Amino acid sequence: MGRKEVLTGKAKFGIFGDGKELPQLAMARAFKNGDFRSGYYRDQTFMMALGLLQPKDFFHGLYATTDMEKEPMSGGRQMGGHFLTYSLNQDGTWKDLTKQKNSSADISCTAGQMPRLLGLAQASKVYRKEKGMDNAKFSDDGNEVAWGTIGNASTSEGMFWETINAAGVLQVPMVVSVWDDEYGISVPAKHHTTKEDISKIIAGFQRDGDDKGYELLKVKGWDYTALMHAYENASDIARQEHVPVIIHVTELTQPQGHSTSGSHERYKNDKRLEWERDNDCNKRFKEWILESNIATSEELDELEKRVKRTVREAKKEAWTEFLEDNISTKKRLVQLLDAVAAKSPNKTFLSKIKNDLIAVEEPTMKDLAVASRKALRYLLGESSAERKALIDWTQNFLTKVQPKFSSYLYSPNENRATNIPAIAPTYDQNAENVDGRVILRDNFDQLFQNNPNALIFGEDSGTIGDVNQGLEGLQEKYGSTRIADTGIRETTIIGQGIGMAMRGLRPIAEIQYLDYIFYAMSSLTDDLATLLYRTKGKQKAPLIVRTRGHRLEGIWHSGSQMGGLIHLLRGMYILAPRNMTQAAGFYNTLMKSDEPALVIESLNGYRLKEPRPTNLGEFQTPIGVVETIKEGADITLVSYGSTLRIVQQAAKELLEIGIDAEIIDAQTLLPFDIKQDVVKSVQKTSRLLVIDEDVPGGCSAYLLNEIVEKQKAYRYLDSAPQTLSAQSHRPAYGTDGDYFSKPNAEDIFEKVYGILHEANPDDYPKLR
Ligand SMILES: Cc1ncc(C[n+]2csc(CCOP(=O)(O)OP(=O)(O)O)c2C)c(N)n1
Ligand SMILES: [Mg+2]
């Protein structure tokens, strides 16, 4: 029936769970309150079996109804077949997750559910081990299992293997089901899997007497008794022993093709098609019911009829509900158009718009917006009350409708990161000057003391206390669960963070160097950055990603790819502190908020001296606020991170020849300068240069856009606004490589001088 809705044009796309139903029933039986699912688009039966999804909800998902009450899976933001449960109350606070069955919000990217699954499972382990944590709403002594589902073809993805290895190492309560129908859309197993059998190639993960590992189970997808046993067994092993389990469910089918985009007759031969008809799990389940005398054939026929009727009614109701608001809104708009047409010299054109709209029997919000906005063009210059009414209506309509599609990119709640107030660091009169990394370390010490649910993990973060000693000694103090080493596997480090943050922990996931964050980019951009948005505020993952970057040396240790990051990670906060005190303050702020962020410490700043604050763990660097670090009258220089120190150097040299630059530290790139302070500086100096070490047109272009267009600084400029960035290539190694790849003090001096020369060649004659 769902398929038909797409073929008749009511829905755009449909993807269904057919052929995979039976193992999902078995999984649902083993799934307990507090457990989490991280799965993919085939899991509709599982969701329905647990009462988490109703037939009507499913049709609303197909139609993309924007009302969350009607389309509870995403309010129309995701295609149907993407499932979730609600972890949050309306005000963003946690529900009691131990009292409900939980499904983390799906994403379309195949295997993208795997890294998050690792973290969801690890949370149980952390809660069981760490008795001092606040687990009230999240865990009953770590007895919760995280259940993953994945298609056979998607096990080819790197994310699958990285997750499987990491969960084996960590020994977490994770049960992964592989739904194996021997295809990935049209492509058969021989192109996906060595030996065409995932069980054969994961055999080495099997635990044995000597080594910890996995419990591996293989079961046929049409064999209900075997499935029930497998799932009960898996649940016990994972729940009690915290040993991960993989269940390879074989001999599944895909009766109507992958999705509504194509039919499987195109790529399966007659023999396979016949086998699928004979062995479809529903068909064999029915045979088993009859053989076992659980029900009679008549009873099952009756049941099928009843189910069909229920689904048909759900479909009809959903379509009526999808349309009802638009139909009443259309009536009102037609009245307004009629009224404006009656008086206007453009009556013919306006009547046509009105009649065309009347002819649309199943109007979308787009139809309504197009009609009203086009009509206004024919009313230019008229001043009737009817025109005013149409303008007001259009304005109200757009204001009402836009949030349906755009809300919840960031939290609207009280503890939104930008609402956390600034608290300045305080200093003794003779404050000691210490290495920046000491400030970070001592602040982290306080932070872990103050936040029992906080933990940090990454490559070399545990025993040695990170590669720059910002966590020195903390593992000894807080234990190896809270201050932990991980394998070299950036994607699942982020996955650990996402999953644990979704279960009430406050993880800080450390990516050793900024240049290596790109391994984890998919999980960051597809999963973490979209979570609040794609769930319309029903799930959150307040994960802090800690990394270090900018200016060190060489192609892979001095990247500053901020343009890429700020564009891919909308939905997160991106902070580039100039020193370790600012960085520490950001961590303190973020711990008070419930949103995800990326903090990039300045790689060459750990050994620079900073005065030691007295209120470590307390002071808070505000998010979205720039800081003027030198006042000046002649030009505004905006920069951030390591580059800022070079800007300061250049500014000193400029002052020697009488050019007084104002320097502003952007410091929070997403969001940038919400109080619009930079334009006030430009108003004073009337010149603007943005300097960073990203590629040309990268973050500097974004900042220019923010300042010139959004803050309207163009009104005050007497010189062309400019950017100064690194070369387009990656930075070359060595002192000279750095000097000739990234903006240096001479570049900045000459660029500023050039701007003043152009404005006033008499005072500033040509330099060279
Ligand atoms: C990263 C990524 N690549 C490609 C796709 C397009 N795609 C969607 S489903 C699919 C096949 C998945 O097959 P399988 O994992 O066996 O699951 P099945 O649909 O057979 O249950 C592909 C290639 C995607 N969604 N994500
Ligand atoms: Mg498949």
Side-chain angles (χ1 to χ4, degrees), residues 32-71:
K32 295 201 159 72
N33 278 353
D35 286 3
F36 257 91
R37 164 191 167 276
S38 182
Y40 79 118
Y41 50 79
R42 293 282 177 229
D43 295 343
Q44 72 185 54
T45 307
F46 170 82
M47 295 295 288
M48 287 185 171
L50 291 180
L52 303 173
L53 178 76
Q54 306 303 326
K56 197 164 89 178
D57 304 340
F58 194 89
F59 285 103
H60 273 300
L62 277 176
Y63 305 141
T65 304
T66 52
D67 184 345
M68 204 70 184
E69 302 270 311
K70 293 175 184 145
E71 200 287 84

mmCIF file of all heavy atoms in Angstrom, residues 32-71:
data_model
loop_
_atom_site.group_PDB
_atom_site.id
_atom_site.type_symbol
_atom_site.label_atom_id
_atom_site.label_comp_id
_atom_site.label_asym_id
_atom_site.label_seq_id
_atom_site.Cartn_x
_atom_site.Cartn_y
_atom_site.Cartn_z
ATOM 1 N N LYS A 32 14.526 -4.867 25.958
ATOM 2 C CA LYS A 32 13.928 -4.497 27.250
ATOM 3 C C LYS A 32 13.928 -2.979 27.465
ATOM 4 O O LYS A 32 14.656 -2.250 26.771
ATOM 5 C CB LYS A 32 14.732 -5.146 28.380
ATOM 6 C CG LYS A 32 14.675 -6.662 28.373
ATOM 7 C CD LYS A 32 15.046 -7.191 29.768
ATOM 8 C CE LYS A 32 14.558 -8.583 30.016
ATOM 9 N NZ LYS A 32 15.232 -9.641 29.307
ATOM 10 N N ASN A 33 13.191 -2.532 28.444
ATOM 11 C CA ASN A 33 13.221 -1.105 28.800
ATOM 12 C C ASN A 33 14.655 -0.681 29.101
ATOM 13 O O ASN A 33 15.404 -1.423 29.728
ATOM 14 C CB ASN A 33 12.364 -0.853 30.038
ATOM 15 C CG ASN A 33 10.898 -0.738 29.680
ATOM 16 O OD1 ASN A 33 10.537 -0.713 28.504
ATOM 17 N ND2 ASN A 33 10.041 -0.678 30.689
ATOM 18 N N GLY A 34 15.015 0.504 28.659
ATOM 19 C CA GLY A 34 16.380 0.997 28.861
ATOM 20 C C GLY A 34 17.296 0.661 27.697
ATOM 21 O O GLY A 34 18.308 1.327 27.485
ATOM 22 N N ASP A 35 16.953 -0.378 26.927
ATOM 23 C CA ASP A 35 17.771 -0.748 25.765
ATOM 24 C C ASP A 35 17.678 0.330 24.686
ATOM 25 O O ASP A 35 16.735 1.133 24.673
ATOM 26 C CB ASP A 35 17.276 -2.078 25.174
ATOM 27 C CG ASP A 35 17.672 -3.272 26.033
ATOM 28 O OD1 ASP A 35 18.275 -3.068 27.098
ATOM 29 O OD2 ASP A 35 17.363 -4.421 25.626
ATOM 30 N N PHE A 36 18.647 0.309 23.787
ATOM 31 C CA PHE A 36 18.665 1.242 22.662
ATOM 32 C C PHE A 36 18.812 0.487 21.351
ATOM 33 O O PHE A 36 19.549 -0.494 21.278
ATOM 34 C CB PHE A 36 19.859 2.206 22.794
ATOM 35 C CG PHE A 36 19.466 3.576 23.268
ATOM 36 C CD1 PHE A 36 19.460 3.886 24.620
ATOM 37 C CD2 PHE A 36 19.106 4.560 22.354
ATOM 38 C CE1 PHE A 36 19.100 5.150 25.058
ATOM 39 C CE2 PHE A 36 18.746 5.830 22.784
ATOM 40 C CZ PHE A 36 18.744 6.129 24.145
ATOM 41 N N ARG A 37 18.138 0.963 20.331
ATOM 42 C CA ARG A 37 18.364 0.464 18.979
ATOM 43 C C ARG A 37 19.129 1.517 18.182
ATOM 44 O O ARG A 37 18.892 2.715 18.338
ATOM 45 C CB ARG A 37 17.019 0.182 18.295
ATOM 46 C CG ARG A 37 17.120 0.042 16.780
ATOM 47 C CD ARG A 37 15.741 0.026 16.118
ATOM 48 N NE ARG A 37 15.874 0.204 14.681
ATOM 49 C CZ ARG A 37 15.986 1.366 14.055
ATOM 50 N NH1 ARG A 37 15.966 2.500 14.741
ATOM 51 N NH2 ARG A 37 16.110 1.423 12.742
ATOM 52 N N SER A 38 20.067 1.050 17.345
ATOM 53 C CA SER A 38 20.670 1.932 16.345
ATOM 54 C C SER A 38 20.646 1.156 15.048
ATOM 55 O O SER A 38 21.447 0.241 14.841
ATOM 56 C CB SER A 38 22.110 2.276 16.765
ATOM 57 O OG SER A 38 22.684 3.152 15.826
ATOM 58 N N GLY A 39 19.696 1.472 14.198
ATOM 59 C CA GLY A 39 19.478 0.601 13.048
ATOM 60 C C GLY A 39 19.323 1.350 11.748
ATOM 61 O O GLY A 39 19.856 2.449 11.587
ATOM 62 N N TYR A 40 18.560 0.745 10.846
ATOM 63 C CA TYR A 40 18.393 1.382 9.533
ATOM 64 C C TYR A 40 16.980 1.179 9.014
ATOM 65 O O TYR A 40 16.114 0.649 9.722
ATOM 66 C CB TYR A 40 19.482 0.930 8.587
ATOM 67 C CG TYR A 40 19.329 -0.442 7.945
ATOM 68 C CD1 TYR A 40 19.217 -0.577 6.564
ATOM 69 C CD2 TYR A 40 19.321 -1.597 8.713
ATOM 70 C CE1 TYR A 40 19.117 -1.822 5.961
ATOM 71 C CE2 TYR A 40 19.217 -2.851 8.111
ATOM 72 C CZ TYR A 40 19.093 -2.959 6.739
ATOM 73 O OH TYR A 40 18.996 -4.185 6.155
ATOM 74 N N TYR A 41 16.776 1.609 7.762
ATOM 75 C CA TYR A 41 15.422 1.764 7.233
ATOM 76 C C TYR A 41 14.576 0.503 7.142
ATOM 77 O O TYR A 41 13.405 0.581 6.812
ATOM 78 C CB TYR A 41 15.496 2.413 5.849
ATOM 79 C CG TYR A 41 16.494 1.727 4.923
ATOM 80 C CD1 TYR A 41 16.186 0.541 4.275
ATOM 81 C CD2 TYR A 41 17.763 2.244 4.754
ATOM 82 C CE1 TYR A 41 17.111 -0.093 3.482
ATOM 83 C CE2 TYR A 41 18.701 1.611 3.960
ATOM 84 C CZ TYR A 41 18.368 0.437 3.326
ATOM 85 O OH TYR A 41 19.294 -0.198 2.540
ATOM 86 N N ARG A 42 15.145 -0.692 7.418
ATOM 87 C CA ARG A 42 14.311 -1.889 7.274
ATOM 88 C C ARG A 42 13.509 -2.216 8.532
ATOM 89 O O ARG A 42 12.770 -3.186 8.548
ATOM 90 C CB ARG A 42 15.191 -3.096 6.958
ATOM 91 C CG ARG A 42 15.883 -3.058 5.617
ATOM 92 C CD ARG A 42 14.963 -3.409 4.470
ATOM 93 N NE ARG A 42 15.690 -3.289 3.203
ATOM 94 C CZ ARG A 42 15.235 -2.633 2.140
ATOM 95 N NH1 ARG A 42 14.057 -2.056 2.164
ATOM 96 N NH2 ARG A 42 15.944 -2.567 1.040
ATOM 97 N N ASP A 43 13.691 -1.425 9.607
ATOM 98 C CA ASP A 43 13.237 -1.893 10.915
ATOM 99 C C ASP A 43 11.809 -1.530 11.289
ATOM 100 O O ASP A 43 11.469 -1.452 12.474
ATOM 101 C CB ASP A 43 14.196 -1.382 12.001
ATOM 102 C CG ASP A 43 15.597 -1.981 11.844
ATOM 103 O OD1 ASP A 43 15.730 -2.999 11.137
ATOM 104 O OD2 ASP A 43 16.543 -1.434 12.437
ATOM 105 N N GLN A 44 10.933 -1.350 10.326
ATOM 106 C CA GLN A 44 9.570 -0.936 10.657
ATOM 107 C C GLN A 44 8.837 -1.988 11.507
ATOM 108 O O GLN A 44 8.046 -1.646 12.388
ATOM 109 C CB GLN A 44 8.764 -0.624 9.392
ATOM 110 C CG GLN A 44 8.379 -1.842 8.582
ATOM 111 C CD GLN A 44 7.694 -1.481 7.275
ATOM 112 O OE1 GLN A 44 8.222 -0.717 6.470
ATOM 113 N NE2 GLN A 44 6.525 -2.046 7.062
ATOM 114 N N THR A 45 9.093 -3.269 11.233
ATOM 115 C CA THR A 45 8.385 -4.316 11.980
ATOM 116 C C THR A 45 8.785 -4.298 13.447
ATOM 117 O O THR A 45 7.954 -4.430 14.342
ATOM 118 C CB THR A 45 8.676 -5.701 11.386
ATOM 119 O OG1 THR A 45 8.392 -5.658 9.992
ATOM 120 C CG2 THR A 45 7.836 -6.770 12.043
ATOM 121 N N PHE A 46 10.089 -4.121 13.681
ATOM 122 C CA PHE A 46 10.578 -4.021 15.063
ATOM 123 C C PHE A 46 9.870 -2.872 15.780
ATOM 124 O O PHE A 46 9.368 -3.025 16.891
ATOM 125 C CB PHE A 46 12.090 -3.792 15.043
ATOM 126 C CG PHE A 46 12.661 -3.441 16.380
ATOM 127 C CD1 PHE A 46 12.953 -4.423 17.311
ATOM 128 C CD2 PHE A 46 12.897 -2.108 16.723
ATOM 129 C CE1 PHE A 46 13.460 -4.095 18.562
ATOM 130 C CE2 PHE A 46 13.414 -1.772 17.963
ATOM 131 C CZ PHE A 46 13.692 -2.771 18.891
ATOM 132 N N MET A 47 9.839 -1.717 15.131
ATOM 133 C CA MET A 47 9.224 -0.549 15.757
ATOM 134 C C MET A 47 7.734 -0.796 16.030
ATOM 135 O O MET A 47 7.215 -0.419 17.074
ATOM 136 C CB MET A 47 9.398 0.688 14.864
ATOM 137 C CG MET A 47 10.824 1.155 14.672
ATOM 138 S SD MET A 47 11.595 1.728 16.209
ATOM 139 C CE MET A 47 10.738 3.273 16.482
ATOM 140 N N MET A 48 7.079 -1.430 15.067
ATOM 141 C CA MET A 48 5.640 -1.680 15.238
ATOM 142 C C MET A 48 5.397 -2.740 16.293
ATOM 143 O O MET A 48 4.450 -2.638 17.081
ATOM 144 C CB MET A 48 5.018 -2.069 13.902
ATOM 145 C CG MET A 48 4.896 -0.880 12.973
ATOM 146 S SD MET A 48 4.038 -1.312 11.459
ATOM 147 C CE MET A 48 3.836 0.315 10.730
ATOM 148 N N ALA A 49 6.248 -3.750 16.341
ATOM 149 C CA ALA A 49 6.075 -4.827 17.319
ATOM 150 C C ALA A 49 6.149 -4.278 18.745
ATOM 151 O O ALA A 49 5.479 -4.781 19.636
ATOM 152 C CB ALA A 49 7.130 -5.896 17.113
ATOM 153 N N LEU A 50 6.949 -3.244 18.949
ATOM 154 C CA LEU A 50 7.076 -2.663 20.289
ATOM 155 C C LEU A 50 6.079 -1.533 20.528
ATOM 156 O O LEU A 50 6.113 -0.865 21.562
ATOM 157 C CB LEU A 50 8.500 -2.145 20.505
ATOM 158 C CG LEU A 50 9.580 -3.229 20.598
ATOM 159 C CD1 LEU A 50 10.947 -2.596 20.807
ATOM 160 C CD2 LEU A 50 9.291 -4.211 21.720
ATOM 161 N N GLY A 51 5.229 -1.291 19.538
ATOM 162 C CA GLY A 51 4.233 -0.231 19.698
ATOM 163 C C GLY A 51 4.827 1.168 19.592
ATOM 164 O O GLY A 51 4.232 2.143 20.031
ATOM 165 N N LEU A 52 6.008 1.270 18.999
ATOM 166 C CA LEU A 52 6.662 2.572 18.888
ATOM 167 C C LEU A 52 6.309 3.277 17.580
ATOM 168 O O LEU A 52 6.687 4.420 17.365
ATOM 169 C CB LEU A 52 8.187 2.396 18.983
ATOM 170 C CG LEU A 52 8.698 1.696 20.253
ATOM 171 C CD1 LEU A 52 10.184 1.436 20.159
ATOM 172 C CD2 LEU A 52 8.372 2.529 21.487
ATOM 173 N N LEU A 53 5.631 2.558 16.709
ATOM 174 C CA LEU A 53 5.252 3.111 15.403
ATOM 175 C C LEU A 53 3.900 2.515 15.036
ATOM 176 O O LEU A 53 3.715 1.309 15.134
ATOM 177 C CB LEU A 53 6.310 2.708 14.358
ATOM 178 C CG LEU A 53 6.088 3.142 12.918
ATOM 179 C CD1 LEU A 53 6.404 4.627 12.764
ATOM 180 C CD2 LEU A 53 6.972 2.344 11.959
ATOM 181 N N GLN A 54 2.973 3.402 14.631
ATOM 182 C CA GLN A 54 1.644 2.940 14.235
ATOM 183 C C GLN A 54 1.526 3.038 12.716
ATOM 184 O O GLN A 54 2.211 3.847 12.092
ATOM 185 C CB GLN A 54 0.566 3.819 14.876
ATOM 186 C CG GLN A 54 0.673 3.946 16.392
ATOM 187 C CD GLN A 54 0.631 2.593 17.088
ATOM 188 O OE1 GLN A 54 -0.058 1.673 16.629
ATOM 189 N NE2 GLN A 54 1.389 2.451 18.167
ATOM 190 N N PRO A 55 0.621 2.248 12.146
ATOM 191 C CA PRO A 55 0.455 2.321 10.689
ATOM 192 C C PRO A 55 0.207 3.750 10.189
ATOM 193 O O PRO A 55 0.776 4.164 9.187
ATOM 194 C CB PRO A 55 -0.760 1.430 10.424
ATOM 195 C CG PRO A 55 -0.751 0.451 11.554
ATOM 196 C CD PRO A 55 -0.194 1.175 12.741
ATOM 197 N N LYS A 56 -0.610 4.494 10.939
ATOM 198 C CA LYS A 56 -0.896 5.863 10.479
ATOM 199 C C LYS A 56 0.369 6.718 10.497
ATOM 200 O O LYS A 56 0.604 7.511 9.584
ATOM 201 C CB LYS A 56 -1.985 6.495 11.349
ATOM 202 C CG LYS A 56 -2.606 7.707 10.699
ATOM 203 C CD LYS A 56 -3.904 8.099 11.339
ATOM 204 C CE LYS A 56 -3.664 9.057 12.471
ATOM 205 N NZ LYS A 56 -4.906 9.520 13.103
ATOM 206 N N ASP A 57 1.201 6.524 11.526
ATOM 207 C CA ASP A 57 2.472 7.266 11.580
ATOM 208 C C ASP A 57 3.288 6.977 10.325
ATOM 209 O O ASP A 57 3.938 7.862 9.758
ATOM 210 C CB ASP A 57 3.349 6.822 12.764
ATOM 211 C CG ASP A 57 2.648 6.934 14.103
ATOM 212 O OD1 ASP A 57 1.663 7.679 14.185
ATOM 213 O OD2 ASP A 57 3.117 6.272 15.054
ATOM 214 N N PHE A 58 3.274 5.718 9.945
ATOM 215 C CA PHE A 58 4.091 5.320 8.793
ATOM 216 C C PHE A 58 3.650 6.063 7.537
ATOM 217 O O PHE A 58 4.482 6.551 6.769
ATOM 218 C CB PHE A 58 3.998 3.808 8.582
ATOM 219 C CG PHE A 58 5.061 3.297 7.656
ATOM 220 C CD1 PHE A 58 6.293 2.899 8.149
ATOM 221 C CD2 PHE A 58 4.854 3.269 6.279
ATOM 222 C CE1 PHE A 58 7.303 2.466 7.291
ATOM 223 C CE2 PHE A 58 5.854 2.838 5.420
ATOM 224 C CZ PHE A 58 7.079 2.430 5.926
ATOM 225 N N PHE A 59 2.335 6.173 7.339
ATOM 226 C CA PHE A 59 1.864 6.900 6.145
ATOM 227 C C PHE A 59 2.160 8.387 6.236
ATOM 228 O O PHE A 59 2.530 9.013 5.242
ATOM 229 C CB PHE A 59 0.367 6.627 5.919
ATOM 230 C CG PHE A 59 0.124 5.253 5.361
ATOM 231 C CD1 PHE A 59 -0.343 4.223 6.164
ATOM 232 C CD2 PHE A 59 0.408 4.968 4.030
ATOM 233 C CE1 PHE A 59 -0.526 2.944 5.656
ATOM 234 C CE2 PHE A 59 0.224 3.691 3.505
ATOM 235 C CZ PHE A 59 -0.246 2.669 4.320
ATOM 236 N N HIS A 60 2.042 8.934 7.439
ATOM 237 C CA HIS A 60 2.410 10.350 7.588
ATOM 238 C C HIS A 60 3.885 10.542 7.219
ATOM 239 O O HIS A 60 4.255 11.559 6.637
ATOM 240 C CB HIS A 60 2.146 10.830 9.022
ATOM 241 C CG HIS A 60 0.739 11.316 9.233
ATOM 242 N ND1 HIS A 60 0.215 12.366 8.513
ATOM 243 C CD2 HIS A 60 -0.242 10.901 10.068
ATOM 244 C CE1 HIS A 60 -1.038 12.578 8.906
ATOM 245 N NE2 HIS A 60 -1.346 11.703 9.851
ATOM 246 N N GLY A 61 4.707 9.569 7.554
ATOM 247 C CA GLY A 61 6.123 9.633 7.174
ATOM 248 C C GLY A 61 6.293 9.636 5.656
ATOM 249 O O GLY A 61 7.121 10.376 5.116
ATOM 250 N N LEU A 62 5.489 8.843 4.997
ATOM 251 C CA LEU A 62 5.570 8.811 3.529
ATOM 252 C C LEU A 62 5.185 10.154 2.924
ATOM 253 O O LEU A 62 5.809 10.635 1.978
ATOM 254 C CB LEU A 62 4.603 7.755 2.978
ATOM 255 C CG LEU A 62 5.056 6.306 2.937
ATOM 256 C CD1 LEU A 62 3.914 5.429 2.448
ATOM 257 C CD2 LEU A 62 6.253 6.137 2.014
ATOM 258 N N TYR A 63 4.143 10.757 3.495
ATOM 259 C CA TYR A 63 3.649 12.026 2.927
ATOM 260 C C TYR A 63 4.487 13.228 3.368
ATOM 261 O O TYR A 63 4.353 14.303 2.815
ATOM 262 C CB TYR A 63 2.196 12.266 3.360
ATOM 263 C CG TYR A 63 1.235 11.140 3.032
ATOM 264 C CD1 TYR A 63 0.229 10.760 3.926
ATOM 265 C CD2 TYR A 63 1.339 10.432 1.829
ATOM 266 C CE1 TYR A 63 -0.641 9.722 3.633
ATOM 267 C CE2 TYR A 63 0.473 9.388 1.537
ATOM 268 C CZ TYR A 63 -0.507 9.034 2.441
ATOM 269 O OH TYR A 63 -1.359 7.997 2.159
ATOM 270 N N ALA A 64 5.310 13.035 4.400
ATOM 271 C CA ALA A 64 6.100 14.132 4.978
ATOM 272 C C ALA A 64 5.222 15.180 5.650
ATOM 273 O O ALA A 64 5.380 16.390 5.449
ATOM 274 C CB ALA A 64 7.008 14.786 3.938
ATOM 275 N N THR A 65 4.294 14.722 6.471
ATOM 276 C CA THR A 65 3.483 15.632 7.287
ATOM 277 C C THR A 65 4.406 16.357 8.263
ATOM 278 O O THR A 65 5.238 15.724 8.902
ATOM 279 C CB THR A 65 2.432 14.820 8.071
ATOM 280 O OG1 THR A 65 1.670 14.064 7.125
ATOM 281 C CG2 THR A 65 1.515 15.721 8.881
ATOM 282 N N THR A 66 4.243 17.668 8.353
ATOM 283 C CA THR A 66 5.230 18.419 9.150
ATOM 284 C C THR A 66 4.860 18.526 10.624
ATOM 285 O O THR A 66 5.613 19.087 11.400
ATOM 286 C CB THR A 66 5.411 19.839 8.577
ATOM 287 O OG1 THR A 66 4.129 20.431 8.458
ATOM 288 C CG2 THR A 66 6.105 19.806 7.249
ATOM 289 N N ASP A 67 3.721 18.002 10.986
ATOM 290 C CA ASP A 67 3.292 18.055 12.379
ATOM 291 C C ASP A 67 3.850 16.840 13.126
ATOM 292 O O ASP A 67 3.540 15.692 12.814
ATOM 293 C CB ASP A 67 1.754 18.043 12.387
ATOM 294 C CG ASP A 67 1.194 18.203 13.778
ATOM 295 O OD1 ASP A 67 1.966 18.039 14.741
ATOM 296 O OD2 ASP A 67 -0.013 18.470 13.890
ATOM 297 N N MET A 68 4.658 17.106 14.153
ATOM 298 C CA MET A 68 5.309 16.036 14.911
ATOM 299 C C MET A 68 4.293 15.148 15.636
ATOM 300 O O MET A 68 4.548 13.984 15.906
ATOM 301 C CB MET A 68 6.260 16.707 15.905
ATOM 302 C CG MET A 68 7.406 15.881 16.378
ATOM 303 S SD MET A 68 8.667 15.554 15.138
ATOM 304 C CE MET A 68 9.736 14.472 16.069
ATOM 305 N N GLU A 69 3.138 15.726 15.956
ATOM 306 C CA GLU A 69 2.103 14.918 16.612
ATOM 307 C C GLU A 69 1.604 13.832 15.670
ATOM 308 O O GLU A 69 1.216 12.752 16.094
ATOM 309 C CB GLU A 69 0.896 15.805 16.973
ATOM 310 C CG GLU A 69 1.222 16.966 17.858
ATOM 311 C CD GLU A 69 1.103 16.598 19.326
ATOM 312 O OE1 GLU A 69 0.067 16.024 19.679
ATOM 313 O OE2 GLU A 69 2.064 16.865 20.079
ATOM 314 N N LYS A 70 1.620 14.160 14.381
ATOM 315 C CA LYS A 70 1.083 13.194 13.413
ATOM 316 C C LYS A 70 2.191 12.348 12.807
ATOM 317 O O LYS A 70 2.016 11.167 12.563
ATOM 318 C CB LYS A 70 0.333 13.943 12.304
ATOM 319 C CG LYS A 70 -0.907 14.615 12.809
ATOM 320 C CD LYS A 70 -1.571 15.439 11.728
ATOM 321 C CE LYS A 70 -2.771 16.186 12.302
ATOM 322 N NZ LYS A 70 -2.929 17.494 11.681
ATOM 323 N N GLU A 71 3.336 12.984 12.527
ATOM 324 C CA GLU A 71 4.470 12.239 11.955
ATOM 325 C C GLU A 71 5.566 12.238 13.019
ATOM 326 O O GLU A 71 6.460 13.085 13.006
ATOM 327 C CB GLU A 71 4.932 12.915 10.663
ATOM 328 C CG GLU A 71 5.740 12.016 9.746
ATOM 329 C CD GLU A 71 7.167 11.730 10.228
ATOM 330 O OE1 GLU A 71 7.351 10.801 11.055
ATOM 331 O OE2 GLU A 71 8.086 12.432 9.775
#
